Amino acid sequence: MGIDFSPSRRSTIGAEWELALVDRRSGELASVAERILDAVRPDGAEEHPKIKQELLLNTIEVISGVCTTVAECKADLAESLDVVHKVTDPLGVELFSAGTHPFSNWYRQKVTDKARYAKLIDRTQWWGRQMLIYGVHVHVGLDHRDKVLPVLDALLNYAPHLQALSASSPYWGAEDTGYASNRALMFQQLPTAGLPFQFRDWAELEHYVADMFTTGVIDHFSEIRWDIRPAPHFGTIEMRVCDGLPTLEEVGAIAALTQCLVEDFSTRLDRGERLPTLPPWHVQENKWRAARYGTDAIIILDAAGRERLVTDDLTDLLEKLEPVARRLDCVAELRDVETILKYGPSYRRQRAVAKQHHGSLKAVVASLVAEMRDGIAR
């Protein structure tokens, strides 16, 4: 089975940001996505080009166009966010983004009435119905198919860094799970979700996909829901590691880090270098450590088993990537990673709010709503 990869302009950037809809008074999730999507749909169009439906009716997704810089991508998302707020404000509905809602129950949520969602729930049953989770996806353009799999494998070295920075799902069903990212471990329960396989070449990927079609596991390539995956139609590598991010500032920081990593790998491949990879068992362990401990995770660096605190490794990585960021005009956005490290990822901020308000998770939701409104997290 042949899979055509449509090359993109190198290191172009795009983002998808999943947003929860909540009742302003109670903080509970509100299943009003259809009403909002109808209101924002341009006259004569089937849907808004950048404001989309998702699996659950308590969720919408805003997506950017194909952008050259992270600043352009952020501005694009902000414009869509403004459109949504003009509809949700009069309805008494607020928006936030985090890996999970701190206390709303999954079994009370309504599924969007679409055939592909019905098929997913029918197949996955109890686990599928529990997918009350939110994420951020970042696409980066690649100019040649032969770069895709080496870049994917190299990005896996930095999946725990991205997971730790974005971790925002410590709570599930009104309980503190003890994890920084409960979403990371929830999502991988779906078939074809979780960590990608590390293929030797494109033909091996094609053989895998053909097997998935033949055995009825998938009907479309997009049903492969790996943490990092090729997006052949768009000509991108798609980073799907991250929990939902509460602020546009954090979305920009993660987008900049991803863009810089992919550009660095692309440059090194052009020079004929072989990109470093980790054994799959180290990749798997790193994912668990970052989900469990967040920025306190001690991650495995190489096949020799050397380990390091993820934040120390990030500090060195940011310094290494600064020349790349200058080329891509995203120095300011890459430095926003330092802001996340300074003030803590969302899981830390959420726990701090809960502690300050005697365990109130309604206060946590209010803080997430305020962070999205203000655009900053301090």
Side-chain angles (χ1 to χ4, degrees):
M1 177 179 181
I3 302 174
D4 293 329
F5 183 83
S6 303
S8 291
R9 283 184 295 140
R10 176 169 162 159
S11 297
T12 45
I13 186 88
E16 304 167 359
W17 193 10
E18 294 173 354
L19 309 176
L21 306 167
V22 296
D23 179 82
R24 183 175 297 147
R25 290 178 178 272
S26 68
E28 290 276 5
L29 287 166
S31 294
V32 294
E34 289 178 332
R35 186 172 178 182
I36 293 164
L37 293 170
D38 284 345
V40 301
R41 184 176 61 242
D43 291 341
E46 290 188 7
E47 62 179 1
H48 193 284
K50 296 181 179 180
I51 304 170
K52 305 290 186 179
Q53 67 182 19
E54 265 295 331
L55 170 66
L56 299 176
L57 289 175
N58 59 49
T59 309
I60 61 170
E61 180 181 58
V62 293
I63 65 173
S64 75
V66 179
C67 302
T68 303
T69 66
V70 176
E72 180 187 349
C73 182
K74 287 174 63 179
D76 197 343
L77 293 172
E79 184 177 340
S80 294
L81 202 58
D82 287 343
V83 171
V84 174
H85 271 303
K86 288 176 183 176
V87 174
T88 56
D89 284 352
L91 297 177
V93 172
E94 297 286 358
L95 308 173
F96 81 78
S97 185
T100 56
H101 187 285
F103 60 84
S104 282
N105 292 313
W106 61 267
Y107 52 82
R108 293 180 178 172
Q109 308 310 315
K110 298 177 181 178
V111 177
T112 300
D113 185 17
K114 293 290 182 182
R116 64 190 178 108
Y117 297 136
K119 176 189 171 186
L120 173 65
I121 296 299
D122 181 63
R123 183 170 188 230
T124 59
Q125 291 295 304
W126 190 81
W127 278 114
R129 294 196 302 272
Q130 287 206 73
M131 290 299 115
L132 185 56
I133 55 177
Y134 308 88
V136 168
H137 304 162
V138 178
H139 289 261
V140 183
L142 287 170
D143 53 4
H144 200 286
R145 190 193 73 178
D146 290 347
K147 291 182 176 181
V148 175
L149 296 179
V151 167
L152 186 155
D153 285 355
L155 270 177
L156 286 173
N157 297 341
Y158 297 98
H161 304 66
L162 293 159
Q163 184 75 76
L165 286 168
S166 69
S168 61
S169 49
Y171 299 106
W172 178 256
E175 292 187 24
D176 191 324
T177 64
Y179 281 77
S181 174
N182 189 53
R183 169 193 168 273
L185 303 185
M186 289 287 300
F187 190 45
Q188 69 183 16
Q189 304 307 316
L190 293 184
T192 75
L195 291 166
F197 296 102
Q198 293 169 261
F199 299 105
R200 290 170 295 182
D201 53 38
W202 194 258
E204 194 171 43
L205 170 65
E206 290 176 328
H207 184 71
Y208 164 83
V209 174
D211 279 352
M212 295 299 101
F213 274 94
T214 300
T215 56
V217 177
I218 62 172
D219 294 321
H220 192 274
F221 187 92
S222 64
E223 293 173 6
I224 297 172
R225 300 179 175 91
W226 293 330
D227 295 344
I228 305 172
R229 69 180 180 185
H233 178 70
F234 296 118
T236 64
I237 195 83
E238 183 183 3
M239 192 283 296
R240 300 159 50 86
V241 170
C242 294
D243 279 10
L245 292 159
T247 69
L248 189 59
E249 180 182 59
E250 289 168 289
V251 174
I254 291 294
L257 179 57
T258 307
Q259 186 189 32
C260 287
L261 283 168
V262 174
E263 169 63 20
D264 182 53
F265 296 148
S266 191
T267 300
R268 291 160 68 179
L269 287 170
D270 287 342
R271 293 199 296 253
E273 292 185 31
R274 186 180 180 89
L275 300 180
T277 60
L278 278 172
W281 48 92
H282 287 347
V283 173
Q284 185 174 12
E285 175 64 15
N286 277 344
K287 176 178 179 175
W288 185 86
R289 292 184 186 188
R292 169 66 177 87
Y293 299 109
T295 48
D296 288 330
I298 306 293
I299 59 167
I300 304 166
L301 299 179
D302 53 34
R306 290 189 307 115
E307 296 175 293
R308 195 179 189 198
L309 182 66
V310 67
T311 50
D312 290 343
D313 205 55
L314 268 167
T315 299
D316 288 350
L317 178 63
L318 295 175
E319 183 178 348
K320 173 188 170 186
L321 290 176
E322 185 154 349
V324 182
R326 285 198 293 270
R327 294 202 305 271
L328 296 173
D329 194 21
C330 65
V331 171
E333 290 82 10
L334 186 64
R335 286 178 179 163
D336 283 336
V337 173
E338 297 174 348
T339 304
I340 298 176
L341 294 176
K342 180 178 180 181
Y343 292 99
S346 178
Y347 79 93
R348 288 185 178 273
R349 305 196 304 266
Q350 289 180 47
R351 284 178 172 147
V353 169
K355 183 177 180 180
Q356 182 182 356
H357 291 84
H358 310 290
S360 170
L361 297 185
K362 185 175 178 181
V364 172
V365 171
S367 72
L368 289 166
V369 167
E371 285 184 355
M372 177 162 286
R373 284 277 188 186
D374 298 340
I376 57 173
R378 296 288 186 267

